[in-house]
């Protein structure tokens, strides 16, 4: 495709426009370093305009109370997104390097998942009577009422630009909020294309606004510093999440933060190794290891440790990596040079600290272009080391050996500040459940299962976040609650 094939302007109050500065910046394909397109470089004045539009739509229209109309708009949007699914698959591969093997999960599955939220828009109990109660001599009937916060400031990461954008936009819409979505600087084109699709529906101007900026801090600070934004919904790093939470404290604004993970995958001594090793590799290397809930920390009992390492070395050495446009590719490019350097540094320091690299452990080369790191297994990792305690965000599996009983396995798994997801492998399902119940993580997956679905709450413990995404609980996290009392009848 040519550069002009992609929309790169801001979308504010139902219209596409350039940044007021007139500035644009290049969006780079991480596979070959070519320019995919250019995007408008929003400044604080553009963020102000976007919030103004969202504030007006929240305050001066019936968007927040007309549940049937919102559902109509969401169903329109879902149909339109389905029609553009192939174009979105091409785009997220171009700007984010999403590998072919996971493209359906990043795009098609997310569009299908709108069904749950579309239905909730009208089926959710927006008002509930809770009966009468007498206090201070007054007998009162009480009613609970749920109302949208108003304006949501949403910020998406680069690793899953379509997935996180569709979540934040459609969840805001379904609950009656308006939204200003700021895309990650590396991946602004997906948001702009989503705005193109929205502009063809009956979604009123100002309900959804999309902005992009080359410097995440400039636009991000303008958005989080605007007192007219009622709620922030962010996916990204704990450091940025903490800053958003601190800024949201000015005005006591609501926050939902999903902040990454260092998810443990426990292989108990009775694990089915055929399944556990294959699943462990897939759930670490999926999306090129650039995923928040991936099983990047494999904790293996001493009795099976050597056999597991042999299997991992064979599997990962033969893992398809390279061209992300190929449907069989598992590991594609790293998003940018700085992230590649970070991965390289963490693996090199792990080796210096005594860990063994079984395969990979170095940059990949595809004609001298792009940002590549070979699928890597690092064995004999100390549970307290840097690579065991910090998110690598690349195709790197760290393997930790433990001895003892399940109490020790749980202790090692819980030895982390993160708590986004966890995995347990055992032939004894009751045993696996006992372990799962003790893991400090918002989601836990037993054997060949995975929690992700629009109806399943997704929340982080520890520094992995606050609040809930998805499910009825996630729907409610976009809503304020009000209790109204009236004289009992």
């Amino acid at each position: 495709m040519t550069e002009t094939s992609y929309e790169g302007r801001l979308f504010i109050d139902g219209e596409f426009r350039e940044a007021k500065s007139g500035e644009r910046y290049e969006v780079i394909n991480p596979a070959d370093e070519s320019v995919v397109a250019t995007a408008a470089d929003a400044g604080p004045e553009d963020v102000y305009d976007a919030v103004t539009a969202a504030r007006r739509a929240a305050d001066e229209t019936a968007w927040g109370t007309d549940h049937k109309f919102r559902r109509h708009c969401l169903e329109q949007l879902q149909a339109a997104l389905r029609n553009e699914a192939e174009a979105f698959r091409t785009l997220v591969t171009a700007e984010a390097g999403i590998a072919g093997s996971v493209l359906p999960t990043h795009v098609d599955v997310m569009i299908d998942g709108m069904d749950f939220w579309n239905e909730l828009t009208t089926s959710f109990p927006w008002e509930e009577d809770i009966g009468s109660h007498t206090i201070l001599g007054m007998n009162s009937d009480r009613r609970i009422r749920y109302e949208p916060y108003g304006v949501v400031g949403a910020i998406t990461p680069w690793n899953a630009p379509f997935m996180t954008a569709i979540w934040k936009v459609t969840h805001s819409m379904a609950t009656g909020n308006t939204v200003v979505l700021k895309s990650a600087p590396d991946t602004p084109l997906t948001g702009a294309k989503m705005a193109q699709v929205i502009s063809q529906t009956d979604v009123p101007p100002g309900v959804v606004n999309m902005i992009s900026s080359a410097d995440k801090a400039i636009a991000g600070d303008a958005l989080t510093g605007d007192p007219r934004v009622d709620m922030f919904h962010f996916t990204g790093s704990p450091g940025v999440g903490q800053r958003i939470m601190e800024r949201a404290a000015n005005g006591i604004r609501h926050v939902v933060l999903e902040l990454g993970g260092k998810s443990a995958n426990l292989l108990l001594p009775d694990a089915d190794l055929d399944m556990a090793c294959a699943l462990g590799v897939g759930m670490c290397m999926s999306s090129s290891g650039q995923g928040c809930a991936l099983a990047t920390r494999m904790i293996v009992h001493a009795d099976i440790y050597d056999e597991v390492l042999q299997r991992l070395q064979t599997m990962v050495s033969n893992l398809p990596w390279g061209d992300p446009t190929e449907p069989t590719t598992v590991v594609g490019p790293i998003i940018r040079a700085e992230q590649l350097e970070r991965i390289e540094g963490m693996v090199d320091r792990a080796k210096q600290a005594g860990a063994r690299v079984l395969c990979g452990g170095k940059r990949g080369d595809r004609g001298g272009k792009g940002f590549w790191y070979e699928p890597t297994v690092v064995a004999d990792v100390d549970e307290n080391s840097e690579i065991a305690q910090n998110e690598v965000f690349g195709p790197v599996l760290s393997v930790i050996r433990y001895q003892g009983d399940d109490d020790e396995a749980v202790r090692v798994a819980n030895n982390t500040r993160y708590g986004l997801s966890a995995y347990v492998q055992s032939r004894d399902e009751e045993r696996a459940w006992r372990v799962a119940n003790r893991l400090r993580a918002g989601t836990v997956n037993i054997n060949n299962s995975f929690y992700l679905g629009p109806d399943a709450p997704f929340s982080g413990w520890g520094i992995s976040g606050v609040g809930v995404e998805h499910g009825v609980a996630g729907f409610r996290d976009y809503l304020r609650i009000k209790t109204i009392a009236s004289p009992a009848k």
Side-chain angles (χ1 to χ4, degrees), residues 249-273:
N250 183 8
I252 318 297
R253 273 91 56 80
H254 183 51
V255 296
V256 176
L257 308 173
E258 191 271 276
L259 304 177
K262 191 67 185 177
S263 300
N265 184 7
L266 288 180
L267 270 61
L268 302 182
D270 66 342
D272 178 339
L273 296 190

Side-chain angles (χ1 to χ4, degrees), residues 106-393:
H106 276 253
V107 177
D108 304 76
V109 171
M110 297 301 113
I111 297 172
D112 291 343
M114 284 180 65
D115 288 344
F116 179 79
W117 290 80
N118 296 350
E119 171 64 25
L120 266 183
T121 305
T122 52
S123 67
F124 182 77
W126 293 96
E127 293 187 355
E128 299 177 82
D129 290 320
I130 60 171
S132 61
H133 179 69
T134 300
I135 191 170
L136 300 175
M138 294 178 285
N139 189 23
S140 305
D141 290 331
R142 284 83 43 76
R143 176 174 296 179
I144 296 172
R145 179 179 171 87
Y146 294 93
E147 298 181 2
Y149 275 90
V151 177
V152 175
I155 302 176
T156 56
W158 50 261
N159 65 306
F162 183 86
M163 183 185 295
T164 53
I166 194 174
W167 288 348
K168 295 185 193 314
V169 168
T170 61
H171 298 182
S172 296
M173 290 173 61
T175 50
N177 292 283
T178 62
V179 60
V180 177
L181 184 138
K182 187 192 83 67
S183 299
D186 301 281
T187 54
L189 305 176
T190 298
K193 180 162 185 60
M194 192 172 290
Q196 277 186 313
V197 176
I198 289 170
S199 70
Q200 299 164 13
T201 70
D202 294 331
V203 176
V207 167
V208 179
N209 307 272
M210 301 280 198
I211 56 176
S212 56
S213 176
D215 186 321
K216 63 183 179 182
I218 291 175
D221 282 355
L223 183 61
T224 57
D226 195 318
R228 299 172 298 166
V229 180
D230 303 294
M231 171 183 172
F232 296 100
H233 210 293
F234 169 73
T235 301
S237 71
V240 176
Q242 180 172 313
R243 176 167 175 77
I244 290 172
M245 200 168 189
E246 289 168 350
R247 292 175 68 81
N250 183 8
I252 318 297
R253 273 91 56 80
H254 183 51
V255 296
V256 176
L257 308 173
E258 191 271 276
L259 304 177
K262 191 67 185 177
S263 300
N265 184 7
L266 288 180
L267 270 61
L268 302 182
D270 66 342
D272 178 339
L273 296 190
D274 287 340
M275 179 178 69
C277 291
L279 190 71
V281 169
M283 292 310 297
C284 175
M285 300 296 171
S286 174
S287 298
S288 308
Q290 298 176 124
C292 54
L294 296 178
T296 57
R297 197 169 43 114
M298 184 178 283
I299 299 167
V300 183
H301 193 274
D303 289 352
I304 56 174
Y305 186 75
D306 290 340
E307 183 177 354
V308 166
L309 292 187
Q310 291 175 0
R311 288 168 178 258
L312 294 178
Q313 183 174 6
T314 300
M315 290 178 180
V316 176
S317 296
N318 292 286
L319 204 65
W321 70 275
D323 185 356
T325 65
E326 291 291 334
T328 57
T329 297
V330 175
V331 173
I334 305 304
I335 188 66
R336 57 181 176 273
E338 295 84 354
Q339 178 63 13
L340 177 59
E341 291 169 4
R342 180 177 180 276
I343 296 167
E344 185 177 44
M346 291 183 75
V347 173
D348 288 349
R349 288 189 294 275
K351 287 191 291 185
Q352 293 165 9
R356 285 187 294 147
V357 174
L358 300 186
C359 56
K362 62 183 187 296
R363 296 189 185 203
D365 181 24
R366 289 184 58 83
K369 292 289 187 179
F371 314 118
W372 306 93
Y373 199 81
E374 293 184 6
T376 298
V377 177
V378 183
D380 304 342
V381 170
D382 184 282
E383 63 173 291
N384 297 305
S385 65
E386 176 195 29
I387 204 165
Q389 291 293 325
N390 295 283
E391 200 168 32
V392 178
F393 232 62

